[in-house]
Protein backbone atom coordinates (compact mmCIF):
# COMPACT_ATOMS: atom_id res chain seq x y z
CA UNK A 1 0.00 0.00 0.00
CA UNK A 2 1.51 3.38 -0.98
CA UNK A 3 2.15 6.05 1.63
CA UNK A 4 0.07 9.21 1.54
CA UNK A 5 2.90 11.11 -0.11
CA UNK A 6 3.45 8.40 -2.72
CA UNK A 7 -0.22 8.81 -3.61
CA UNK A 8 -0.39 12.61 -3.30
CA UNK A 9 2.54 13.75 -5.46
CA UNK A 10 1.38 12.18 -8.76
CA UNK A 11 -2.18 13.38 -8.16
CA UNK A 12 -1.11 16.97 -7.50
CA UNK A 13 1.26 16.89 -10.46
CA UNK A 14 -1.47 15.59 -12.79
CA UNK A 15 -3.76 18.46 -11.77
CA UNK A 16 -1.29 21.34 -11.59
CA UNK A 17 1.97 20.78 -13.50
CA UNK A 18 0.68 21.47 -17.01
CA UNK A 19 -2.09 24.05 -16.54
CA UNK A 20 -0.48 25.90 -13.59
CA UNK A 21 3.28 25.21 -13.51
CA UNK A 22 4.05 28.05 -11.09
CA UNK A 23 1.37 26.82 -8.67
CA UNK A 24 2.87 23.33 -8.97
CA UNK A 25 6.31 24.71 -8.03
CA UNK A 26 4.73 26.44 -5.05
CA UNK A 27 3.12 23.17 -3.90
CA UNK A 28 6.44 21.34 -4.23
CA UNK A 29 8.08 24.06 -2.15
CA UNK A 30 5.38 23.85 0.52
CA UNK A 31 5.92 20.08 0.69
CA UNK A 32 9.66 20.68 1.03
CA UNK A 33 8.98 23.01 4.00
CA UNK A 34 6.85 20.21 5.50
CA UNK A 35 9.85 17.88 5.40
CA UNK A 36 11.93 20.48 7.28
CA UNK A 37 9.58 20.37 10.27
CA UNK A 38 8.94 16.62 10.25
CA UNK A 39 10.71 16.25 13.60
CA UNK A 40 7.77 17.92 15.38
CA UNK A 41 5.11 15.86 13.58
CA UNK A 42 6.00 12.28 14.54
CA UNK A 43 3.57 9.91 12.78
CA UNK A 44 1.82 12.86 11.09
CA UNK A 45 4.84 13.89 8.97
CA UNK A 46 3.61 11.93 5.92
CA UNK A 47 0.10 13.32 6.39
CA UNK A 48 1.33 16.92 6.47
CA UNK A 49 3.57 16.48 3.43
CA UNK A 50 0.70 14.95 1.45
CA UNK A 51 -1.61 17.83 2.40
CA UNK A 52 1.16 20.31 1.57
CA UNK A 53 1.65 19.07 -1.97
CA UNK A 54 -2.13 18.95 -2.50
CA UNK A 55 -3.16 22.15 -0.70
CA UNK A 56 -3.66 24.28 -3.84
CA UNK A 57 -5.20 21.74 -6.23
CA UNK A 58 -8.47 23.67 -6.02
CA UNK A 59 -6.92 26.21 -8.41
CA UNK A 60 -6.79 23.59 -11.18
CA UNK A 61 -9.12 24.69 -13.99
CA UNK A 62 -11.05 21.40 -13.94
CA UNK A 63 -11.64 21.64 -10.18
CA UNK A 64 -12.43 25.34 -9.70
CA UNK A 65 -16.19 25.38 -9.13
CA UNK A 66 -16.80 27.96 -6.37
CA UNK A 67 -13.66 30.03 -6.94
CA UNK A 68 -12.61 29.28 -3.36
CA UNK A 69 -9.72 26.89 -3.83
CA UNK A 70 -9.62 25.27 -0.36
CA UNK A 71 -13.25 24.18 -0.71
CA UNK A 72 -12.91 23.15 -4.37
CA UNK A 73 -9.77 21.14 -3.64
CA UNK A 74 -11.25 19.43 -0.58
CA UNK A 75 -14.43 18.51 -2.43
CA UNK A 76 -12.42 16.99 -5.26
CA UNK A 77 -10.30 15.01 -2.81
CA UNK A 78 -13.42 13.72 -1.05
CA UNK A 79 -15.76 13.17 -4.00
CA UNK A 80 -13.41 12.11 -6.79
CA UNK A 81 -10.05 11.05 -5.35
CA UNK A 82 -11.40 9.23 -2.25
CA UNK A 83 -8.55 10.76 -0.27
CA UNK A 84 -7.68 10.26 3.37
CA UNK A 85 -10.14 12.28 5.47
CA UNK A 86 -7.39 14.05 7.40
CA UNK A 87 -5.67 15.19 4.20
CA UNK A 88 -9.01 16.49 2.94
CA UNK A 89 -9.64 18.45 6.13
CA UNK A 90 -6.16 19.99 6.10
CA UNK A 91 -6.59 21.10 2.48
CA UNK A 92 -10.03 22.53 3.29
CA UNK A 93 -8.74 24.62 6.18
CA UNK A 94 -5.22 25.55 5.11
CA UNK A 95 -3.78 28.97 5.90
CA UNK A 96 -6.72 30.52 7.75
CA UNK A 97 -9.18 29.48 5.05
CA UNK A 98 -12.12 30.09 7.42
CA UNK A 99 -11.44 33.83 7.24
CA UNK A 100 -11.52 33.86 3.45
CA UNK A 101 -14.58 31.58 3.48
CA UNK A 102 -16.31 34.07 5.75
CA UNK A 103 -15.51 36.93 3.35
CA UNK A 104 -16.98 34.87 0.50
CA UNK A 105 -20.09 33.84 2.43
CA UNK A 106 -18.91 30.21 2.44
CA UNK A 107 -17.84 29.71 6.06
CA UNK A 108 -20.89 27.64 7.07
CA UNK A 109 -20.46 25.49 3.97
CA UNK A 110 -16.74 24.95 4.62
CA UNK A 111 -17.12 24.16 8.31
CA UNK A 112 -20.28 22.10 7.77
CA UNK A 113 -18.57 19.80 5.28
CA UNK A 114 -15.05 19.61 6.66
CA UNK A 115 -14.03 19.49 10.32
CA UNK A 116 -10.72 21.05 11.27
CA UNK A 117 -7.75 18.90 12.10
CA UNK A 118 -5.75 19.49 15.26
CA UNK A 119 -4.35 22.97 15.79
CA UNK A 120 -0.72 21.82 15.56
CA UNK A 121 -1.30 20.36 12.08
CA UNK A 122 -3.20 23.42 10.86
CA UNK A 123 -0.38 25.58 12.24
CA UNK A 124 2.19 23.41 10.48
CA UNK A 125 0.48 23.62 7.06
CA UNK A 126 0.01 27.38 7.41
CA UNK A 127 3.70 27.69 8.35
CA UNK A 128 4.75 25.72 5.26
CA UNK A 129 2.47 27.67 2.90
CA UNK A 130 3.34 31.10 4.26
CA UNK A 131 7.07 30.41 4.20
CA UNK A 132 7.08 29.51 0.50
CA UNK A 133 7.03 31.88 -2.49
CA UNK A 134 4.78 31.34 -5.52
CA UNK A 135 7.87 29.87 -7.23
CA UNK A 136 8.49 27.36 -4.43
CA UNK A 137 11.50 28.97 -2.77
CA UNK A 138 11.75 29.69 0.96
CA UNK A 139 10.60 33.06 2.24
CA UNK A 140 9.20 34.49 5.46
CA UNK A 141 5.54 35.15 6.29
CA UNK A 142 5.82 38.95 6.22
CA UNK A 143 7.21 38.94 2.68
CA UNK A 144 4.69 36.28 1.63
CA UNK A 145 1.74 38.26 2.98
CA UNK A 146 3.02 41.41 1.27
CA UNK A 147 3.46 39.49 -1.99
CA UNK A 148 -0.11 38.15 -1.83
CA UNK A 149 -1.59 41.56 -0.99
CA UNK A 150 0.44 43.12 -3.81
CA UNK A 151 -0.53 40.48 -6.36
CA UNK A 152 -4.26 40.71 -5.69
CA UNK A 153 -4.40 44.38 -4.63
CA UNK A 154 -4.91 45.69 -1.10
CA UNK A 155 -8.64 46.36 -1.56
CA UNK A 156 -9.46 43.03 -3.21
CA UNK A 157 -11.18 40.22 -1.31
CA UNK A 158 -7.86 38.34 -1.08
CA UNK A 159 -5.89 41.46 -0.14
CA UNK A 160 -8.34 42.26 2.65
CA UNK A 161 -8.46 38.62 3.82
CA UNK A 162 -4.67 38.20 3.96
CA UNK A 163 -4.25 41.38 6.02
CA UNK A 164 -6.98 40.23 8.38
CA UNK A 165 -5.32 36.81 8.65
CA UNK A 166 -1.82 38.25 9.16
CA UNK A 167 -1.80 38.11 12.98
CA UNK A 168 -2.92 34.47 12.96
CA UNK A 169 -0.43 33.56 10.22
CA UNK A 170 2.38 35.10 12.26
CA UNK A 171 1.14 33.33 15.40
CA UNK A 172 1.09 29.97 13.53
CA UNK A 173 4.65 30.56 12.41
CA UNK A 174 5.76 31.40 15.95
CA UNK A 175 4.11 28.30 17.41
CA UNK A 176 5.73 26.02 14.83
CA UNK A 177 9.15 27.60 15.30
CA UNK A 178 8.81 27.21 19.08
CA UNK A 179 7.97 23.50 18.67
CA UNK A 180 10.92 23.00 16.30
CA UNK A 181 13.30 24.77 18.72
CA UNK A 182 12.01 22.71 21.66
CA UNK A 183 12.39 19.46 19.68
CA UNK A 184 15.97 20.35 18.77
CA UNK A 185 16.78 20.96 22.45
CA UNK A 186 15.53 17.49 23.45
CA UNK A 187 18.28 14.92 24.09
CA UNK A 188 18.30 11.94 21.77
Amino acid sequence: MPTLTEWAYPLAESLLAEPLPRRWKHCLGVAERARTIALVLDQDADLLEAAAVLHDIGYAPDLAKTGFHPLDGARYLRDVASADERVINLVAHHSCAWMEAEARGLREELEGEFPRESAHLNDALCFCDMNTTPDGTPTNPIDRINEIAGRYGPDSLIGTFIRRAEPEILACTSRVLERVAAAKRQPM
Side-chain angles (χ1 to χ4, degrees):
M1 180 161 209
T3 65
L4 286 174
T5 52
E6 289 170 342
W7 168 83
Y9 276 88
L11 177 61
E13 182 177 19
S14 73
L15 294 167
L16 294 172
E18 191 173 310
L20 301 169
R22 189 173 191 216
R23 185 71 57 185
W24 171 233
K25 285 181 185 177
H26 169 71
C27 288
L28 288 172
V30 174
E32 186 178 325
R33 298 297 89 64
R35 288 190 299 278
T36 69
I37 61 168
L39 72 153
V40 299
L41 298 168
D42 298 320
Q43 72 275 11
D44 288 332
D46 189 56
L47 169 70
L48 181 71
E49 187 177 345
V53 79
L54 290 165
H55 81 284
D56 274 354
I57 63 167
Y59 282 113
D62 292 342
L63 277 57
K65 305 293 185 225
T66 67
F68 179 47
H69 77 277
L71 187 57
D72 291 338
R75 284 177 171 165
Y76 174 85
L77 289 170
R78 178 192 64 202
D79 299 341
V80 178
S82 301
D84 177 273
E85 185 177 346
R86 296 180 74 202
V87 170
I88 296 167
N89 294 336
L90 284 167
V91 168
H93 290 283
H94 77 271
S95 302
C96 304
W98 69 270
M99 288 186 198
E100 184 181 344
E102 190 170 81
R104 292 176 179 273
L106 295 170
R107 184 170 178 185
E108 281 186 31
E109 219 170 313
L110 176 70
E111 292 179 346
E113 287 185 49
F114 303 104
R116 289 190 199 186
E117 278 297 317
S118 64
H120 83 278
L121 285 171
N122 281 312
D123 281 358
L125 186 52
C126 182
F127 169 87
C128 295
D129 189 16
M130 292 296 136
N131 281 279
T132 306
T133 69
D135 294 315
T137 60
T139 189
N140 64 73
I142 299 288
D143 288 346
R144 177 78 164 118
I145 290 164
N146 288 335
E147 181 276 322
I148 292 168
R151 182 167 21 120
Y152 288 94
D155 298 325
S156 68
L157 185 141
I158 302 296
T160 303
F161 146 70
I162 202 68
R163 289 297 178 201
R164 182 172 169 234
E166 185 171 8
E168 181 57 23
I169 291 167
L170 297 176
C172 288
T173 296
S174 291
R175 290 188 294 265
V176 170
L177 291 174
E178 287 168 11
R179 284 194 295 274
V180 169
K184 287 182 177 180
R185 287 192 299 271
Q186 295 297 321
M188 292 295 196

